[in-house]
């Protein structure tokens, strides 16, 4: 590393004057710069991520974290990649949640009222404590979609659980041992296969992909720089919902 590189690194490194906060990782006290995410603060403290580091930019669900503030009773449930540190945090990383998914063949299932209950009968044990909802870092009404699944409302259960990232916080806290995120996943699969209208353009698009129509375009994208890709993304054309509706009408 050259002297210039060292000087640049020093300038980029947060300083004591910028302010620090005190946090606890695995029970050990650390002082880290203000403005870091939990994930970055843990690395700053000297820990190396081997697993559960996820996408590092938000919403993949791999970096589940539980913390409690000093002198506070409440537990908080967040994702380490998108949550800023606060003074007095006692952090606990969750490497995985023991929640096995039941085996089923989607082609053999039917979107009947009791189909989810037959595969995940434990949803009948729900006591409506709402702990699952309070634990969700995505602010999903988890208890509501479980109740929808219990009533056989597959469409609504799929809709409410759509933003689930399967971090497992809900299942970890549930006193009834319900695997909420697997229930929501099944609801979305059933809805996508049986209840939602078939896409008018899907078949033709798949045929175009098989024919190699987009091969050159993909190669061109892979050869572009990060700056070029960012500019293309910012300037992309987003079809309004009304345009999509009109397209479907024409296809019909």
């Amino acid at each position: 590393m050259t002297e210039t590189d060292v000087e640049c690194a020093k300038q980029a490194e947060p300083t004591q004057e910028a302010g620090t906060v005190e946090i606890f990782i695995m029970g050990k006290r650390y002082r880290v710069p203000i403005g870091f995410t939990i994930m970055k603060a843990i690395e700053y403290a000297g820990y190396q991520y081997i697993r559960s580091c996820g996408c590092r930019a938000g919403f993949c669900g791999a970096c589940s974290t539980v913390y409690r503030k000093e002198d506070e009773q409440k537990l908080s449930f967040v994702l380490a990649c998108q949550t800023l540190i606060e003074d007095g945090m006692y952090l606990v990383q969750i490497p995985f949640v023991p929640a096995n998914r039941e085996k089923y063949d989607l082609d053999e299932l039917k979107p009947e009222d009791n189909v989810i209950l037959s595969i995940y009968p434990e949803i009948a044990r729900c006591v409506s404590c709402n702990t699952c909802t309070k634990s969700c870092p995505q602010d999903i009404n988890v208890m509501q979609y479980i109740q929808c699944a219990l009533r056989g409302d597959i469409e609504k259960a799929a809709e409410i659980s759509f933003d689930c990232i399967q971090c497992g916080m809900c299942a970890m806290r549930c006193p009834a041992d319900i695997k909420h995120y697997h229930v929501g996943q099944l609801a979305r699969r059933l809805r996508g296969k049986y209840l939602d209208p078939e896409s008018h353009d899907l078949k033709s698009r798949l045929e175009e992909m098989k024919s190699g129509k987009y091969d050159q375009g993909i190669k061109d994208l892979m050869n572009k720089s990060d700056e070029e890709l960012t500019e293309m993304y910012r300037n992309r054309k987003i079809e309004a919902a009304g345009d999509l509706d009109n397209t479907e009408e024409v296809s019909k």
Side-chain angles (χ1 to χ4, degrees):
M1 181 179 288
T2 65
E3 292 183 2
T4 303
D5 293 333
V6 173
E7 185 62 30
C8 290
K10 288 182 178 179
Q11 293 175 4
E13 183 178 359
T15 62
Q16 184 72 22
E17 289 73 19
T20 61
V21 294
E22 182 180 77
I23 63 173
F24 298 83
I25 305 172
M26 307 301 177
K28 189 174 180 180
R29 185 195 312 265
Y30 295 92
R31 294 207 68 88
V32 296
I34 293 173
F36 276 8
T37 62
I38 291 174
M39 179 172 281
K40 193 170 183 179
I42 292 174
E43 283 187 312
Y44 182 87
Y47 290 86
Q48 182 181 5
Y49 287 112
I50 303 300
R51 59 179 180 178
S52 295
C53 56
C55 63
R56 305 179 65 86
F59 299 110
C60 83
C63 57
S64 305
T65 302
V66 178
Y67 74 86
R68 174 177 277 143
K69 296 288 291 297
E70 192 171 11
D71 299 324
E72 291 185 7
Q73 179 183 359
K74 179 182 178 182
L75 284 173
S76 296
F77 306 86
V78 296
L79 299 178
C81 61
Q82 62 184 21
T83 305
L84 297 180
I85 54 168
E86 299 178 43
D87 195 51
M89 276 183 167
Y90 285 77
L91 300 166
V92 177
Q93 302 304 116
I94 310 298
F96 71 98
V97 176
N100 295 327
R101 182 181 65 83
E102 295 297 331
K103 296 180 180 179
Y104 53 82
D105 186 340
L106 197 62
D107 290 330
E108 296 180 358
L109 299 181
K110 301 298 179 184
E112 299 170 341
D113 291 349
N114 65 344
V115 60
I116 297 180
L117 180 61
S118 66
I119 295 175
Y120 292 106
E122 62 268 23
I123 63 175
R125 298 198 298 257
C126 177
V127 295
S128 301
C129 66
N130 211 32
T131 301
C132 51
T133 300
K134 293 177 181 178
S135 302
C136 181
Q138 290 286 83
D139 293 326
I140 297 172
N141 194 331
V142 182
M143 187 187 76
Q144 185 178 357
Y145 81 68
I146 291 297
Q147 291 297 316
C148 289
L150 189 56
R151 295 194 301 269
D153 192 345
I154 297 172
E155 189 170 357
K156 194 66 175 178
E159 178 183 337
I160 297 173
S161 67
F162 185 81
D163 288 332
C164 174
I165 52 178
Q166 297 193 265
C167 66
M169 291 288 194
C170 50
M172 182 181 65
R173 294 284 290 164
C174 179
D177 194 31
I178 296 172
K179 312 303 187 291
H180 312 73
Y181 58 101
H182 287 328
V183 174
Q185 183 184 63
L186 175 56
R188 295 192 299 276
R189 286 174 170 173
L190 287 168
R191 176 172 172 172
K193 183 173 180 62
Y194 295 108
L195 302 179
D196 283 345
E198 184 179 350
S199 171
H200 299 288
D201 299 319
L202 178 59
K203 185 176 181 180
S204 59
R205 183 57 52 88
L206 290 174
E207 291 174 351
E208 290 173 351
M209 292 170 65
K210 289 180 180 179
S211 69
K213 180 178 180 179
Y214 305 104
D215 290 354
Q216 187 57 49
I218 292 175
K219 290 180 181 179
D220 293 340
L221 285 174
M222 293 179 67
N223 291 325
K224 290 185 180 297
S225 65
D226 290 346
E227 292 76 15
E228 290 175 313
L229 291 172
T230 300
E231 187 66 21
M232 289 179 63
Y233 180 79
R234 289 174 177 170
N235 295 327
R236 72 194 188 283
K237 181 181 178 181
I238 302 177
E239 295 179 320
D243 294 338
L244 291 175
D245 292 340
N246 294 334
T247 300
E248 290 184 358
E249 290 295 330
V250 172
S251 299
K252 290 178 182 178

